[in-house]
Amino acid sequence: MSRKYVYAFGGGKADGTAEMRNLLGGKGANIAEMSNLGIPVPAGFTITTEMCTVYSKLNRQYPPELDIQIREAMADVEKIMGARFGDQENPLLVSVRSGARVSMPGMMDTVLNIGLNEQTVKGLIANSGNERFCWDSYRRFVQMYGDVVLGLKPESKEEEAPFEVALTEKKKARGVELDSDLTADDLKELVDEFKALIRQGKGVEFPEDPWKQLWGSIEAVFGSWNGARAIKYRQLNRIPDDWGTAVNVQAMVYGNMGEGSGTGVAFTRDPATGQKIFYGEYLLNAQGEDVVSGIRTPQPVNKDTQSSPDQETLEEKMPEAYKILEDIYLKLESHYREMQDIEFTIQQGKLWMLQTRLGKRTAAAAVKIAVDMVNEGLIDKKTAVSRVEPAQLDQLLHPTFDPKAEKTVIAKGLPASPGAASGRVVFHSDDAEEWAAKGEKIILVRIETSPEDIGGMNEAQGILTAFGGMTSHAAVVARGMGKCCIAGCGALEINYKDKLFKVNNLTVKEGDWVSLDGSAGELMLGQVPTVVPDLSGDFTQIMEWADEIRKIGVRTNADTPHDSQVAVNFGAEGIGLTRTEHMFFEGDRIKAMREMILADDIEGRKRALTKLLPYQRDDFYGIFKVMDGRPVTIRLLDPPLHEFLPHEEKNQAEMAREMGVSVEKIKAKVGSLHELNPMLGHRGCRLGTTYPEISEMQARAIFEAACELKKKENIESHPEVMVPLVGTVGEFTDQKAVIDKAAEAVFSEYGFKIDYMVGTMIEIPRACIVADKIAETAEFFSFGTNDLTQMGFGYSRDDAGKFLHEYVVKGILPEDPFHVLDQEGIGELVQMGIQRGRSTRADLKVGICGEHGGEPQSVEFCHRVGMNYVSCSPYRVPVARLAAAHAVIKEQGKAELKDV
């Protein structure tokens, strides 16, 4: 018996269900589910994701059984829809659409109106009685087939597509502005002109055989899985390449059969704010791509989404169809218990549902919808937490425009995706990528965006379009990315050739600064100052639920009282890394530090260190006070000494004058400190071993600060002194002896003791191997995964950027290991260090303080291997808290599956 590759749906039944997402793709699974629910769905069938894999393995060929299964499924569609595919008198027309297991909006190809040719168009005219609609459908089909299947595209980014050029010339010749103003004869002429363009541009004839059209379209959609924009989207969203896409073949229904027909896209809740309103747009006498393409600005489906009272809503225009649509959206949201993104078509008054899927939303909307659905009894707290992606929270933590700042508003559009963004104007996606690679903040300005713009949209701070609505491609993709977006800013006159736009007698050129307020839809000249966002309400609630679920602690990396306070406000439970070297660069401190470096003997170094001690003590006092009894891990001096000295002659001369020494002495010291590989040189515990007086001063400052705070304000401190770059037991015990001696001296002076711990930063592979021996005296480990990754891979993190991108693109590495922890290699070293350390000291406290501490996948790994906490930058603390909760939920889900 041959394998089943085709699953039918329609007529109130389906072969598949919503649970078959991996096999049928999200679109196919949800269409099947709608059909099973009795919702009106045009009949069709889904070719599975497995076939996409088979197709690739067979070198773009199909197994013979696929043709048999497709023809059998098409016969069922013909029965349900009452028409026949390829029949000249009563033709059935179909669409071919992609459908991956996760939504990839606009990233793959679609072909509509398949089955039209010179004969079937006559049958369609006879049946519909609408000649203009039929030739318009045929014109659209030839244009789409020529573009998607045959690959007739513009030669450069500045040029319009050949079909669009011909369409524009036809409208000019007829003296009309809109496509809908063209007559049936005009459209019939365009069909012939489009076919001629294909013949001239591709050297092939447009296929008249409906079955050839169908197979060509299926092949194009399967092939689009490996198209540039789909690959880019998968890279950005970490979607595996081997998942493949399904292909959905579905009977056509038409929204462009006159004023009694239309098409639309809607969300069961506001995807920008999460507000519980039915939110959508529609167009009369149009097909689906007209709504999302941005070519025409659509109208709101109801009064709740009106931006002005003169807009005509679907609710007013077609009240009966709207009422059915309203009942269906409520049914779908209740069934899925999740916000849905739906597509519908009204053909001569009859409503058809084309798709339902999980709605893309902003972080603010995700949080509000999750909390509201718990309060409505639709979902539980754990589900609510799982529905807010940790990486999304970055959107909420970014600053917003200062309401008190002066603003020069030059235009208004639709508030398509909230947020505040300032950047320099660019007009093309590849330019956006180039400018961003140079460190520029940019705003991508387009007449309307298309899926080809995905790379530039990802790099942009914000997106601005002249055309399009709230459900256009720009709006939907921007919301999914968390990018600020203004769509439908009709006042813009964009000139791609000259790289400028005009608005209200003002000209803005490429490189000029503008600001976008995506919440208000305002376009402003120049850069507008920002303020830190106020987070409360639903955000606080979702974080409280996350804290109830997570098991691993979350600390912060903070070097100042201000950063410490920000982190505490975000829910940090302590400090996992205070970098003491940053404190030496401020004001007079750098002079004392340089005096210590220039000293010729230990006495000279001690005199300079005596000047530094009060500064260090005050810094630690401020941090301890803010942390109010929470643990604080302080790393002793880590970088090599040459980093504190100037290397340019001008700066060396200035330092010589300030220090009262000769320039030659400065140059000589810089020369003596020079190292061929400073990251592996005289730094960390090696400095402390060579110059124990540095470690002694820092330890004394830590303990004096803790004692002073206890004495003056009765606030407890829990310092954890961390020795960096340990690779041998002897290095650690040498430094621990210095630290303990300083503690005893300070406690003796104050007459009381402070609880403290001494541990080490595990960042050298050898330390992982001998962790059991180090743990005999070390009370805690903190994994410094930045250096551990550098030494484990043998990559210089300062230089690896030159090749790591290429490694990821070619699949040599799945991710940049400095961004996402390499669990296969570096993760094994971490696990070895934990296991060996705890074999000696069962209660060994273990954390991570590299950049990975706030990265969701890495946080999940830290939970899985049994760390006590992760530590990250202050603004990543909420991300880590939520990621830690997700790790528990995922682990519980796997356990439940195992039990089953």
Side-chain angles (χ1 to χ4, degrees):
M1 183 177 177
S2 62
R3 190 172 185 82
K4 185 176 177 66
Y5 290 116
V6 176
Y7 287 71
F9 56 81
K13 64 183 191 304
D15 295 342
T17 66
E19 284 71 37
M20 299 171 72
R21 171 178 296 270
N22 291 358
L23 183 66
L24 302 181
K27 184 175 293 182
N30 287 331
I31 291 173
E33 191 76 0
M34 284 197 293
S35 189
N36 288 328
L37 288 171
I39 291 171
V41 171
F45 53 88
T46 299
I47 307 171
T48 66
T49 57
E50 286 182 348
M51 180 50 63
C52 187
T53 306
V54 171
Y55 172 72
S56 297
K57 286 181 178 177
L58 294 178
N59 195 25
R60 299 172 72 89
Q61 297 294 318
Y62 301 105
E65 62 264 33
L66 182 64
D67 181 68
I68 298 169
Q69 292 181 26
I70 285 177
R71 288 181 182 273
E72 289 175 352
M74 186 68 83
D76 289 338
V77 176
E78 290 172 338
K79 288 177 186 175
I80 295 169
M81 300 304 293
R84 292 184 60 200
F85 187 61
D87 189 83
Q88 295 182 15
E89 295 181 1
N90 185 25
L92 170 71
L93 305 183
V94 298
S95 63
V96 172
R97 292 182 170 94
S98 63
R101 68 173 75 174
V102 294
S103 177
M104 295 174 60
M107 296 304 117
M108 289 178 285
D109 289 329
T110 294
V111 185
L112 307 178
N113 303 322
I114 298 162
L116 277 173
N117 58 28
E118 295 297 324
Q119 302 305 315
T120 57
V121 71
K122 296 174 184 176
L124 191 64
I125 292 169
N127 288 336
S128 68
N130 188 333
E131 185 179 8
R132 189 199 176 281
F133 146 72
C134 297
W135 284 109
D136 185 40
S137 299
Y138 196 7
R139 183 271 306 177
R140 289 170 182 264
F141 172 46
V142 177
Q143 179 174 349
M144 193 172 282
Y145 196 91
D147 176 13
V148 171
V149 181
L150 301 179
L152 184 60
K153 299 180 184 294
E155 293 183 5
S156 70
K157 64 186 180 184
E158 284 82 13
E159 294 182 14
E160 279 192 281
F163 300 116
E164 289 296 332
V165 172
L167 181 60
T168 301
E169 288 176 354
K170 183 66 68 179
K171 286 187 286 188
K172 279 185 182 177
R174 297 295 181 262
V176 299
E177 291 186 8
L178 301 176
D179 299 1
S180 55
D181 293 330
L182 293 172
T183 67
D185 287 340
D186 296 332
L187 295 165
K188 185 176 181 181
E189 289 174 12
L190 276 173
V191 169
D192 291 336
E193 290 172 22
F194 283 3
K195 288 182 178 180
L197 285 172
I198 291 170
R199 194 178 306 117
Q200 294 160 13
K202 303 304 293 185
V204 296
E205 294 290 335
F206 174 82
E208 296 289 323
D209 182 349
W211 281 98
K212 283 187 178 179
Q213 296 171 359
L214 178 62
W215 279 107
S217 301
I218 291 170
E219 185 166 338
V221 173
F222 272 139
S224 69
W225 174 255
N226 288 315
R229 64 180 187 259
I231 291 171
K232 182 75 172 180
Y233 189 87
R234 292 201 297 275
Q235 290 171 350
L236 294 175
N237 294 276
R238 295 173 181 164
I239 298 170
D241 290 335
D242 59 2
W243 278 6
T245 182
V247 169
N248 298 287
V249 179
Q250 192 171 18
M252 287 294 303
V253 289
Y254 292 95
N256 59 334
M257 292 184 75
E259 292 302 303
S261 301
T263 187
V265 176
F267 296 84
T268 59
R269 304 195 185 208
D270 188 328
T273 67
Q275 189 179 354
K276 191 178 180 182
I277 57 171
F278 186 41
Y279 179 99
E281 295 174 323
Y282 80 104
L283 282 170
L284 289 178
N285 195 22
Q287 285 197 309
E289 71 269 21
D290 296 334
V291 178
V292 297
S293 69
I295 294 171
R296 289 170 61 187
T297 298
Q299 300 294 304
V301 294
N302 55 31
K303 291 179 181 179
D304 287 337
T305 50
Q306 272 182 317
S307 57
S308 67
D310 59 334
Q311 292 178 311
E312 196 167 25
T313 68
L314 181 66
E315 187 176 14
E316 297 166 324
K317 193 75 176 174
M318 297 183 182
E320 291 181 10
Y322 178 80
K323 181 63 174 69
I324 296 170
L325 178 64
E326 192 174 49
D327 291 342
I328 288 173
Y329 101 73
L330 290 169
K331 184 175 186 177
L332 287 171
E333 186 174 272
S334 175
H335 178 75
Y336 283 99
R337 299 172 182 264
E338 175 62 298
M339 190 264 273
Q340 296 294 295
D341 169 1
I342 61 177
E343 294 179 18
F344 62 90
T345 286
I346 300 167
Q347 179 176 300
Q348 297 178 321
K350 179 174 174 57
L351 178 76
W352 294 93
M353 297 302 295
L354 305 183
Q355 174 168 268
T356 187
R357 63 184 174 187
L358 185 68
K360 298 280 185 185
R361 66 205 76 180
T362 64
V367 170
K368 178 167 179 55
I369 291 169
V371 173
D372 284 353
M373 285 191 168
V374 171
N375 295 334
E376 293 163 22
L378 286 173
I379 59 176
D380 58 22
K381 294 177 184 179
K382 187 168 76 171
T383 303
V385 169
S386 71
R387 286 188 179 171
V388 181
E389 287 298 322
Q392 268 191 305
L393 291 186
D394 260 350
Q395 298 173 33
L396 296 178
L397 307 178
H398 292 321
T400 56
F401 287 136
D402 185 346
K404 299 175 184 176
E406 287 189 18
K407 303 173 187 174
T408 306
V409 179
I410 58 174
K412 285 200 74 172
L414 298 172
S417 185
S422 294
R424 301 176 70 185
V425 169
V426 296
F427 293 91
H428 299 291
S429 182
D430 51 357
D431 291 338
E433 294 186 70
E434 287 177 19
W435 283 50
K438 297 172 185 174
E440 296 282 2
K441 291 186 175 181
I442 56 100
I443 300 293
L444 180 62
V445 180
R446 301 288 290 163
I447 295 173
E448 72 256 0
T449 63
S450 71
E452 279 75 17
D453 294 318
I454 185 70
M457 293 176 76
N458 181 62
E459 297 296 345
Q461 305 299 307
I463 298 120
L464 171 66
T465 68
F467 296 157
M470 301 291 281
T471 56
S472 64
H473 175 268
V476 171
V477 174
R479 283 194 293 266
M481 287 181 166
K483 302 282 184 180
C484 169
C485 177
I486 298 174
C489 192
L492 299 185
E493 297 176 34
I494 297 173
N495 184 327
Y496 286 150
K497 184 178 179 182
D498 296 332
K499 295 187 176 180
L500 58 83
F501 70 79
K502 293 182 179 180
V503 57
N504 301 327
N505 298 319
L506 248 153
T507 298
V508 177
K509 299 178 181 178
E510 182 180 67
D512 290 346
W513 282 88
V514 296
S515 296
L516 308 183
D517 186 334
S519 303
E522 292 179 340
L523 168 64
M524 293 158 278
L525 273 184
Q527 294 174 269
V528 179
T530 57
V531 293
V532 176
D534 176 32
L535 298 173
S536 56
D538 292 333
F539 175 82
T540 300
Q541 182 64 82
I542 206 82
M543 296 312 298
E544 286 177 0
W545 292 341
D547 290 341
E548 290 172 10
I549 295 169
R550 68 180 169 92
K551 297 177 181 178
I552 195 170
V554 178
R555 298 191 189 185
T556 189
N557 302 339
D559 308 333
T560 66
H562 174 267
D563 286 350
S564 303
Q565 187 62 63
V566 170
V568 168
N569 294 344
F570 280 139
E573 298 163 318
I575 291 179
L577 175 62
T578 293
R579 305 172 183 88
T580 54
E581 59 270 11
H582 291 178
M583 302 170 178
F584 293 133
F585 285 97
E586 295 181 18
D588 292 336
R589 306 173 185 209
I590 190 65
K591 291 170 67 175
M593 186 66 179
R594 287 171 173 175
E595 182 183 329
M596 187 274 294
I597 295 170
L598 289 175
D600 295 321
D601 54 35
I602 188 170
E603 295 306 320
R605 285 194 294 275
K606 284 187 174 181
R607 281 194 299 271
L609 289 167
T610 300
K611 296 177 185 179
L612 282 170
L613 190 146
Y615 294 126
Q616 286 264 274
R617 182 175 59 227
D618 291 346
D619 288 330
F620 298 141
Y621 186 99
I623 291 171
F624 289 151
K625 182 176 179 179
V626 169
M627 297 314 291
D628 195 19
R630 298 176 182 88
V632 177
T633 303
I634 300 169
R635 183 180 70 186
L636 299 184
L637 189 65
D638 184 50
L641 294 179
H642 75 83
E643 289 193 10
F644 298 95
L645 298 178
H647 291 264
E648 295 182 5
E649 281 196 31
K650 179 183 174 183
N651 295 333
Q652 288 175 348
E654 185 179 335
M655 176 183 165
R657 282 195 301 273
E658 286 183 1
M659 306 295 294
V661 299
S662 68
V663 176
E664 287 69 28
K665 182 168 184 176
I666 303 293
K667 289 182 177 179
K669 179 57 72 171
V670 171
S672 70
L673 294 175
H674 173 73
E675 295 177 300
L676 292 175
N677 194 341
M679 292 308 291
L680 297 179
H682 196 190
R683 55 175 283 230
C685 65
R686 301 158 196 169
L687 267 179
T689 300
T690 309
Y691 304 121
E693 56 273 17
I694 297 176
S695 300
E696 192 275 335
M697 181 278 290
Q698 290 198 289
R700 174 169 275 276
I702 291 168
F703 298 125
E704 285 185 5
C707 289
E708 281 289 307
L709 188 62
K710 172 70 174 175
K711 180 181 176 182
K712 290 181 178 179
E713 305 188 48
N714 198 31
I715 295 176
E716 295 287 345
S717 304
H718 296 284
E720 299 173 349
V721 186
M722 184 159 67
V723 181
L725 219 68
V726 163
T728 70
V729 176
E731 287 174 321
F732 179 75
T733 54
D734 175 86
Q735 289 295 283
K736 186 175 187 300
V738 174
I739 295 163
D740 288 339
K741 184 178 179 181
E744 289 172 14
V746 172
F747 297 161
S748 176
E749 292 165 14
Y750 278 86
F752 58 88
K753 295 184 176 182
I754 296 292
D755 287 334
Y756 74 96
M757 300 173 73
V758 182
T760 184
M761 200 167 185
I762 303 289
E763 49 195 328
I764 292 178
R766 188 180 191 279
C768 299
I769 297 169
V770 298
D772 52 338
K773 296 179 176 63
I774 295 173
E776 290 175 2
T777 46
E779 295 169 285
F780 68 88
F781 286 174
S782 181
F783 284 89
T785 49
N786 299 341
D787 269 347
L788 190 59
T789 297
Q790 179 170 236
M791 297 186 202
F793 271 99
Y795 297 161
S796 164
R797 58 176 161 163
D798 295 323
D799 302 306
K802 296 173 183 176
F803 59 85
L804 279 180
H805 174 72
E806 198 68 23
Y807 271 38
V808 174
V809 169
K810 290 185 174 179
I812 295 170
L813 289 174
E815 306 272 3
D816 179 338
F818 291 104
H819 175 61
V820 179
L821 184 67
D822 164 49
Q823 298 181 25
E824 182 182 41
I826 307 304
E828 282 295 308
L829 288 172
V830 171
Q831 281 189 276
M832 179 192 296
I834 294 172
Q835 291 166 359
R836 294 192 176 187
R838 285 181 174 159
S839 71
T840 302
R841 186 184 292 269
D843 62 349
L844 183 72
K845 185 187 288 188
V846 178
I848 185 174
C849 61
E851 290 302 312
H852 300 107
E855 194 283 314
Q857 291 183 58
S858 308
V859 172
E860 182 188 340
F861 169 81
C862 294
H863 162 82
R864 197 168 64 246
V865 298
M867 287 191 187
N868 299 94
Y869 67 86
V870 296
S871 188
C872 55
S873 63
Y875 282 92
R876 298 291 291 178
V877 166
V879 176
R881 290 165 65 192
L882 188 58
H886 275 228
V888 174
I889 294 168
K890 188 173 181 180
E891 186 178 66
Q892 291 173 345
K894 286 181 178 178
E896 289 168 5
L897 283 173
K898 191 175 180 181
D899 290 342
V900 172

